[in-house]
mmCIF file of all heavy atoms in Angstrom:
data_model
loop_
_atom_site.group_PDB
_atom_site.id
_atom_site.type_symbol
_atom_site.label_atom_id
_atom_site.label_comp_id
_atom_site.label_asym_id
_atom_site.label_seq_id
_atom_site.Cartn_x
_atom_site.Cartn_y
_atom_site.Cartn_z
ATOM 1 N N MET X 439 212.803 60.153 -51.838
ATOM 2 C CA MET X 439 211.459 59.731 -51.529
ATOM 3 C C MET X 439 210.510 60.938 -51.413
ATOM 4 O O MET X 439 210.893 61.813 -50.624
ATOM 5 C CB MET X 439 211.356 58.829 -50.331
ATOM 6 C CG MET X 439 209.998 58.200 -50.032
ATOM 7 S SD MET X 439 209.940 57.236 -48.484
ATOM 8 C CE MET X 439 211.076 55.934 -48.917
ATOM 9 N N SER X 440 209.425 60.946 -52.132
ATOM 10 C CA SER X 440 208.486 62.074 -52.088
ATOM 11 C C SER X 440 207.792 62.147 -50.755
ATOM 12 O O SER X 440 207.672 61.119 -49.972
ATOM 13 C CB SER X 440 207.485 62.081 -53.215
ATOM 14 O OG SER X 440 206.609 60.914 -52.987
ATOM 15 N N ILE X 441 207.220 63.346 -50.425
ATOM 16 C CA ILE X 441 206.535 63.400 -49.117
ATOM 17 C C ILE X 441 205.251 62.563 -49.166
ATOM 18 O O ILE X 441 204.888 61.951 -48.154
ATOM 19 C CB ILE X 441 206.067 64.936 -48.965
ATOM 20 C CG1 ILE X 441 207.338 65.721 -48.654
ATOM 21 C CG2 ILE X 441 205.054 64.982 -47.782
ATOM 22 C CD1 ILE X 441 206.972 67.201 -48.337
ATOM 23 N N PHE X 442 204.592 62.472 -50.345
ATOM 24 C CA PHE X 442 203.419 61.625 -50.480
ATOM 25 C C PHE X 442 203.771 60.119 -50.162
ATOM 26 O O PHE X 442 203.076 59.492 -49.455
ATOM 27 C CB PHE X 442 202.845 61.786 -51.870
ATOM 28 C CG PHE X 442 201.570 60.921 -52.100
ATOM 29 C CD1 PHE X 442 200.416 61.448 -51.755
ATOM 30 C CD2 PHE X 442 201.679 59.642 -52.674
ATOM 31 C CE1 PHE X 442 199.206 60.708 -51.975
ATOM 32 C CE2 PHE X 442 200.540 58.942 -52.812
ATOM 33 C CZ PHE X 442 199.236 59.407 -52.448
ATOM 34 N N THR X 443 204.899 59.671 -50.754
ATOM 35 C CA THR X 443 205.330 58.291 -50.507
ATOM 36 C C THR X 443 205.654 57.997 -49.075
ATOM 37 O O THR X 443 205.269 57.055 -48.471
ATOM 38 C CB THR X 443 206.512 57.920 -51.377
ATOM 39 O OG1 THR X 443 206.171 58.132 -52.738
ATOM 40 C CG2 THR X 443 206.900 56.465 -51.158
ATOM 41 N N ARG X 444 206.335 59.020 -48.378
ATOM 42 C CA ARG X 444 206.668 58.876 -46.994
ATOM 43 C C ARG X 444 205.446 58.842 -46.130
ATOM 44 O O ARG X 444 205.313 58.153 -45.153
ATOM 45 C CB ARG X 444 207.552 59.997 -46.578
ATOM 46 C CG ARG X 444 209.058 59.842 -47.138
ATOM 47 C CD ARG X 444 209.759 61.175 -47.143
ATOM 48 N NE ARG X 444 209.895 61.749 -45.749
ATOM 49 C CZ ARG X 444 210.464 62.912 -45.514
ATOM 50 N NH1 ARG X 444 210.897 63.657 -46.517
ATOM 51 N NH2 ARG X 444 210.524 63.357 -44.298
ATOM 52 N N ALA X 445 204.450 59.728 -46.531
ATOM 53 C CA ALA X 445 203.247 59.752 -45.780
ATOM 54 C C ALA X 445 202.455 58.467 -45.644
ATOM 55 O O ALA X 445 201.820 58.181 -44.674
ATOM 56 C CB ALA X 445 202.311 60.876 -46.307
ATOM 57 N N PHE X 446 202.491 57.715 -46.713
ATOM 58 C CA PHE X 446 201.776 56.420 -46.723
ATOM 59 C C PHE X 446 202.629 55.185 -46.457
ATOM 60 O O PHE X 446 202.242 54.079 -46.670
ATOM 61 C CB PHE X 446 201.087 56.267 -48.132
ATOM 62 C CG PHE X 446 199.868 57.089 -48.259
ATOM 63 C CD1 PHE X 446 199.891 58.369 -48.790
ATOM 64 C CD2 PHE X 446 198.683 56.583 -47.829
ATOM 65 C CE1 PHE X 446 198.720 59.138 -48.891
ATOM 66 C CE2 PHE X 446 197.427 57.325 -47.914
ATOM 67 C CZ PHE X 446 197.460 58.662 -48.465
ATOM 68 N N ARG X 447 203.874 55.445 -45.886
ATOM 69 C CA ARG X 447 204.618 54.310 -45.468
ATOM 70 C C ARG X 447 203.968 53.665 -44.259
ATOM 71 O O ARG X 447 203.394 54.372 -43.403
ATOM 72 C CB ARG X 447 206.096 54.752 -45.087
ATOM 73 C CG ARG X 447 206.938 55.055 -46.242
ATOM 74 C CD ARG X 447 208.301 55.493 -45.804
ATOM 75 N NE ARG X 447 208.985 54.327 -45.102
ATOM 76 C CZ ARG X 447 210.229 54.399 -44.518
ATOM 77 N NH1 ARG X 447 210.917 55.609 -44.616
ATOM 78 N NH2 ARG X 447 210.752 53.394 -43.923
ATOM 79 N N ILE X 541 199.972 58.584 -42.546
ATOM 80 C CA ILE X 541 199.162 59.733 -42.629
ATOM 81 C C ILE X 541 197.674 59.427 -42.273
ATOM 82 O O ILE X 541 197.108 60.230 -41.484
ATOM 83 C CB ILE X 541 199.158 60.379 -44.005
ATOM 84 C CG1 ILE X 541 198.248 61.579 -44.165
ATOM 85 C CG2 ILE X 541 198.731 59.304 -45.071
ATOM 86 C CD1 ILE X 541 198.643 62.726 -43.228
ATOM 87 N N TYR X 893 200.914 67.684 -39.884
ATOM 88 C CA TYR X 893 201.644 66.550 -40.290
ATOM 89 C C TYR X 893 202.655 66.970 -41.431
ATOM 90 O O TYR X 893 203.805 66.515 -41.437
ATOM 91 C CB TYR X 893 200.728 65.474 -40.839
ATOM 92 C CG TYR X 893 201.460 64.296 -41.332
ATOM 93 C CD1 TYR X 893 201.986 63.201 -40.410
ATOM 94 C CD2 TYR X 893 201.706 64.026 -42.679
ATOM 95 C CE1 TYR X 893 202.584 62.159 -40.873
ATOM 96 C CE2 TYR X 893 202.425 62.864 -43.177
ATOM 97 C CZ TYR X 893 202.863 61.930 -42.155
ATOM 98 O OH TYR X 893 203.559 60.858 -42.615
ATOM 99 N N VAL X 898 205.802 64.682 -40.794
ATOM 100 C CA VAL X 898 206.446 63.906 -41.889
ATOM 101 C C VAL X 898 207.983 64.010 -41.736
ATOM 102 O O VAL X 898 208.762 63.156 -42.128
ATOM 103 C CB VAL X 898 205.940 64.260 -43.180
ATOM 104 C CG1 VAL X 898 206.521 65.633 -43.643
ATOM 105 C CG2 VAL X 898 206.284 63.213 -44.202
#
Side-chain angles (χ1 to χ4, degrees):
M439 184 183 296
S440 68
I441 291 181
F442 181 84
T443 302
R444 286 162 60 185
F446 282 92
R447 285 183 63 182
I541 180 62
Y893 181 81
V898 74

